[in-house]
Amino acid sequence: MSQYRIEAGTGQHIGDRQEQQDRTALFAAPKAPGYMLAVMADGMGGLSGGALAAEQVIRSAQQVFERFSPLTDDPETVLHTIAREADTVIKLSAMSSDKKPHSTVVLLMLTPQNTAIWAHAGDSRLYCFDGPNCVRRTEDHTYLAQLKAENKLDDAKARDPLLANLLVNVVGSTTNDLALSVGRRDGLKIGDSFLLCTDGLWQYFSDAELGAAIAMNSVRQASEMLIAKARARAIPGKADNCTLAIVKLVKQAAEPKDYTAKKMRRAV
């Protein structure tokens, strides 16, 4: 079982947008003590539409995780169920409006067996750190990345910023079927940490900067520092929504020892 305790927190800033379309949340499982779920969603599809899509990702995650039991459910299957249910509801809502809501998603589940399982779609990211060192990072589901994977990327396309921002895999898409990318890390230990964040944050930092900020500070301090620095580095007037969730594995608090002498009850 776990020899660490979990410290986690979230933070966000609206940037220079009219509306905050990012959503993030942390959940415990009522039927599965020791399990936790972190969720990140970056909504798109115009005013209200993007926020609606991201909110549905959070709502689906909460509802599915409340039903989760390790006796009957597999964690990876649960992550797929969350994304699939959100995908279905968002598509149905799009049919009854003139908006095209869709959202990125990052899901991270920690288990008492010292394992982390995650899944994502889009360009919101999950970083896995061992101390300050980044050991894993999700790959963005952009058209540019797809061309690179298919060996179809030439110099002209590589310099096209539109291709870097064009997503090919998101929750609620009416043009492509949802395809989650899944990862895991076993043998979690004290000093490991995870960062879930939208592109309004990660675009301003190197992996090393993110790892150092999280390793050297409390969750609250790191969140405030990263958001403030992202704001400072953004082009004035054009800053995107900025949202993050940090999960750190820290040493268990020592139980206080009680050396107070107590009077013994008289034996009968």
Side-chain angles (χ1 to χ4, degrees):
M1 299 295 287
S2 303
Q3 300 301 311
Y4 51 76
R5 62 186 176 90
I6 298 173
E7 288 187 353
T10 65
Q12 62 180 177
H13 196 287
I14 194 172
D16 298 313
R17 305 298 188 185
Q18 292 180 262
E19 180 183 43
Q20 175 58 270
Q21 297 192 342
D22 296 347
R23 296 291 188 274
T24 187
L26 303 167
F27 298 113
K31 298 179 181 179
Y35 287 78
M36 76 153 291
L37 178 70
V39 189
M40 178 67 57
D42 181 355
M44 293 159 281
L47 288 177
S48 300
L52 180 151
E55 189 65 39
Q56 185 56 54
V57 171
I58 301 299
R59 190 177 299 114
S60 295
Q62 182 177 18
Q63 292 171 349
V64 173
F65 202 49
E66 284 179 349
R67 304 194 301 263
F68 168 67
S69 169
L71 299 178
T72 56
D73 303 316
D74 172 70
E76 184 175 325
T77 301
V78 170
L79 301 186
H80 279 277
T81 301
I82 291 170
R84 185 173 62 251
E85 291 194 5
D87 186 61
T88 299
V89 175
I90 293 171
K91 287 178 178 177
L92 289 174
S93 66
M95 295 174 61
S96 59
S97 71
D98 58 352
K99 300 182 183 298
K100 295 182 179 180
H102 51 284
S103 176
T104 68
V105 62
V106 183
L107 303 165
L108 168 68
M109 188 188 296
L110 298 188
T111 80
Q113 291 74 40
N114 305 334
T115 296
I117 305 101
W118 59 84
H120 89 287
D123 63 352
S124 293
R125 291 182 178 179
L126 178 139
Y127 293 80
C128 175
F129 299 101
D130 180 350
N133 303 311
C134 182
V135 293
R136 296 283 298 276
R137 190 191 78 187
T138 54
E139 296 294 331
D140 302 336
H141 294 156
T142 63
Y143 186 53
L144 193 66
Q146 179 177 299
L147 290 176
K148 185 177 180 180
E150 297 172 350
N151 294 318
K152 297 179 180 179
L153 184 63
D154 56 36
D155 291 340
K157 291 178 179 178
R159 292 191 297 268
D160 188 343
L162 295 178
L163 299 184
N165 296 322
L166 181 61
L167 301 182
V168 296
N169 186 27
V170 291
V171 180
S173 172
T174 56
T175 56
N176 297 306
D177 291 332
L178 177 65
L180 288 181
S181 294
V182 178
R184 68 182 291 139
R185 180 173 173 83
D186 297 311
L188 297 180
K189 62 187 186 304
I190 295 170
D192 288 348
S193 61
F194 298 88
L195 169 67
L196 292 72
C197 60
T198 59
D199 62 338
L201 184 104
W202 61 251
Q203 63 179 306
Y204 300 112
F205 299 96
S206 67
D207 295 358
E209 287 179 313
L210 293 171
I214 292 171
M216 297 173 63
N217 296 280
S218 68
V219 170
R220 183 187 181 99
Q221 291 170 334
S223 299
E224 293 176 346
M225 179 187 303
L226 290 173
I227 289 177
K229 185 63 70 174
R231 291 282 298 153
R233 292 179 177 181
I235 298 173
K238 296 186 177 181
D240 196 0
N241 297 159
C242 175
T243 303
L244 61 83
I246 297 174
V247 179
K248 293 184 69 172
L249 310 183
V250 300
K251 188 176 181 179
Q252 291 274 18
E255 294 185 8
K257 296 182 179 179
D258 186 2
Y259 296 103
T260 304
K262 293 183 174 65
K263 184 177 180 180
M264 296 180 64
R265 296 180 63 184
R266 183 177 178 181
V268 177

